[in-house]
């Protein structure tokens, strides 16, 4: 997205203010992949600041992270974990590229695993599936996943306010207002709508892929997760829960593309992220240090190339 390619975009702030993925999910991914796939080369598209790319080096001999943003690629190359710098057996590389057009260094039928974390709702899906099928080896895995919106557990009013700021338009309630006060209209479409529906409209083409697995977790529908004695979440391996405060949440909102787009147009009036957080604190009686449990609805899709 254009916002994340802006030279002024703070990619380290983006990384610090986002939720991460549990180890049990990577274990589930590798359990699926290694049934038929090799572990020579993995490609992580939309790699952002590289936290998935770096994680994959645990499982693959070589990993390539690609992103359309040179700002993100620079962040990746500057933040190599020390253990990877010291381990000459692990090869990792970051290149400019997209899910629809891999860098020329990635050849046809050469890739064992393609991953896309929190990015595949933004791609042109027809081109994405065709390009993935082109570079994957037979029986190679395509895996993509993302989380939706945080759900404030036990605070329905907070969830209403969240929906207003992220999906709605203030003109619906005040059509004669002098400017848009919510961020909903500032998201790129149709990607934001795909996020809201967990991309249920998009099907992996069976002409190129088989053994397709799609697993969604919706907290309102599926309830709280169950854990066994080892702590494994049985409802979904892609379970993300966090105890936050409003300081963390403010940073989270400031990592959104819509926040940056809104500020570019209206920032002289006030900071919309701060206004958002102030409304939550006023309505719920929270302060900056109040601890709140949030949970994210998630979805993941695995598929093998024919």
């Amino acid at each position: 997205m254009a916002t994340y390619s802006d030279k002024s975009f703070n990619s380290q702030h983006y990384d610090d203010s986002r939720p991460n993925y549990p180890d049990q999910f990577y274990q589930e991914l590798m359990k699926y992949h290694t049934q038929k796939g090799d572990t020579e080369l993995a490609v992580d598209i939309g790699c952002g600041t590289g936290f998935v790319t770096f994680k994959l080096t645990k499982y693959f001999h070589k990993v390539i992270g690609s992103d359309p943003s040179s700002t993100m690629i620079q962040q990746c190359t500057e933040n190599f974990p020390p253990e990877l710098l010291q381990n000459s057996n692990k090869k990792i590389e970051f290149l400019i590229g997209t899910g629809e057009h891999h860098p020329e260094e990635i050849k046809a039928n050469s890739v064992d695993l393609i991953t896309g974390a929190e990015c595949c709702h933004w791609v042109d899906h027809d081109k994405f599936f065709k390009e993935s099928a082109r570079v994957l080896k037979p029986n190679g895995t395509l895996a993509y996943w993302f989380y939706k919106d945080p759900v404030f557990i036990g605070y329905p009013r907070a969830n209403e306010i969240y929906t207003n700021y992220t999906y709605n338009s203030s003109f619906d309630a005040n059509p004669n207002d002098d400017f848009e006060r919510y961020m909903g209209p500032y998201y790129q479409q149709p990607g934001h709508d795909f996020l809201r529906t967990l991309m249920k409209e998009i099907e992996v083409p069976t002409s190129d892929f088989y053994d397709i697995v799609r697993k969604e977790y919706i907290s309102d529908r599926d309830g709280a997760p169950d854990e066994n004695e080892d702590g494994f979440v049985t409802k979904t391996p892609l379970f993300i829960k966090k105890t936050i405060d409003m300081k963390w949440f403010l940073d989270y909102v400031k990592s959104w593309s819509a926040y940056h787009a809104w500020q570019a147009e209206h920032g002289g009036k006030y900071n919309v992220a701060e206004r958002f957080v102030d409304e939550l604190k006023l309505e719920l009686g929270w302060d900056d240090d109040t601890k709140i449990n949030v949970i994210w609805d998630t979805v993941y899709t695995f598929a093998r190339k024919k």
Side-chain angles (χ1 to χ4, degrees), residues 26 28 32 55 141 151 190 192 194 214 217 219 223 281 297:
Y26 292 101
E28 186 75 9
Y32 174 94
K55 190 76 174 182
T141 298
V151 177
H192 196 227
F194 286 143
R214 182 181 184 276
Y217 170 72
S219 55
K281 291 192 291 187
D297 294 350

Side-chain angles (χ1 to χ4, degrees), residues 280-300:
L280 284 170
K281 291 192 291 187
L282 179 64
E283 290 275 340
L284 280 303
W286 297 339
D287 59 31
D288 282 342
D289 298 317
T290 302
K291 303 301 181 185
I292 307 110
N293 290 324
V294 296
I295 192 170
W296 280 264
D297 294 350
T298 65
V299 66
Y300 66 85

Side-chain angles (χ1 to χ4, degrees), residues 117-178:
E118 202 65 19
C119 65
C120 288
H121 49 301
W122 301 118
V123 304
D124 180 317
H125 294 102
D126 288 340
K127 292 180 180 178
F128 165 65
F129 289 127
K130 289 178 182 177
E131 179 71 347
S132 298
R134 183 183 72 83
V135 300
L136 279 170
K137 296 175 183 177
N139 298 315
T141 298
L142 173 64
Y144 55 90
W145 63 92
F146 56 91
Y147 51 84
K148 190 183 171 186
D149 303 299
V151 177
F152 294 87
I153 300 174
Y155 296 101
R157 177 56 182 154
N159 294 321
E160 292 174 5
I161 295 170
Y162 183 97
T163 298
N164 283 337
Y165 275 91
T166 56
Y167 289 103
N168 295 340
S169 168
S170 63
F171 290 133
D172 292 340
N174 300 291
N176 296 320
D177 205 351
D178 56 344

Side-chain angles (χ1 to χ4, degrees), residues 165 179 181 183 250 253-254 259-260 262-263 266-278:
Y165 275 91
F179 68 97
R181 298 175 185 274
M183 290 175 280
L250 179 62
V253 175
K254 287 183 176 180
Y259 162 76
H260 290 273
W262 192 100
Q263 288 297 125
H266 303 300
K269 298 179 174 65
Y270 56 76
N271 186 295
V272 70
E274 293 173 1
R275 181 66 62 91
F276 182 6
V277 168
D278 286 345

Side-chain angles (χ1 to χ4, degrees), residues 55-243:
K55 190 76 174 182
L56 291 174
T57 61
K58 179 179 179 181
Y59 305 102
F60 287 83
H61 178 65
K62 180 174 182 179
V63 182
I64 295 174
S66 71
D67 198 281
S69 167
S70 60
T71 304
M72 291 296 196
I73 294 297
Q74 181 179 357
Q75 179 73 37
C76 293
T77 58
E78 291 175 353
N79 287 323
F80 266 62
E83 63 271 18
L84 292 182
L85 290 173
Q86 296 165 7
N87 188 347
S88 60
N89 293 322
K90 292 294 185 180
K91 298 179 181 179
I92 187 167
E93 187 175 7
F94 292 97
L95 302 168
I96 300 290
T98 69
E100 301 94 332
H101 299 286
H102 285 286
E104 62 181 13
E105 291 88 343
I106 298 174
K107 306 302 182 182
N109 300 305
S110 68
V111 179
D112 297 301
L113 170 71
I114 294 173
T115 58
E118 202 65 19
C119 65
C120 288
H121 49 301
W122 301 118
V123 304
D124 180 317
H125 294 102
D126 288 340
K127 292 180 180 178
F128 165 65
F129 289 127
K130 289 178 182 177
E131 179 71 347
S132 298
R134 183 183 72 83
V135 300
L136 279 170
K137 296 175 183 177
N139 298 315
T141 298
L142 173 64
Y144 55 90
W145 63 92
F146 56 91
Y147 51 84
K148 190 183 171 186
D149 303 299
V151 177
F152 294 87
I153 300 174
Y155 296 101
R157 177 56 182 154
N159 294 321
E160 292 174 5
I161 295 170
Y162 183 97
T163 298
N164 283 337
Y165 275 91
T166 56
Y167 289 103
N168 295 340
S169 168
S170 63
F171 290 133
D172 292 340
N174 300 291
N176 296 320
D177 205 351
D178 56 344
F179 68 97
E180 173 60 64
R181 298 175 185 274
Y182 294 151
M183 290 175 280
Y186 289 85
Y187 276 102
Q188 179 181 318
Q189 294 291 11
H192 196 227
D193 284 343
F194 286 143
L195 177 76
R196 194 175 196 180
T197 63
L198 294 177
M199 223 165 81
K200 65 180 181 181
E201 306 91 339
I202 305 301
E203 295 183 357
V204 180
T206 56
S207 56
D208 292 314
F209 296 92
Y210 74 107
D211 279 357
I212 299 167
V213 174
R214 182 181 184 276
K215 176 71 173 181
E216 66 178 26
Y217 170 72
I218 300 175
S219 55
D220 284 346
R221 182 194 68 194
D222 300 328
D226 297 326
E227 298 186 21
N228 63 20
E229 59 185 7
D230 297 319
F232 187 83
V233 177
T234 58
K235 290 182 181 293
T236 176
L238 185 57
F239 176 68
I240 306 174
K241 181 180 180 181
K242 191 175 183 70
T243 300

Side-chain angles (χ1 to χ4, degrees), residues 19-31:
N20 218 322
Y21 312 113
D23 286 341
Q24 65 197 27
F25 174 69
Y26 292 101
Q27 294 164 9
E28 186 75 9
L29 169 59
M30 292 308 299
K31 178 182 177 182

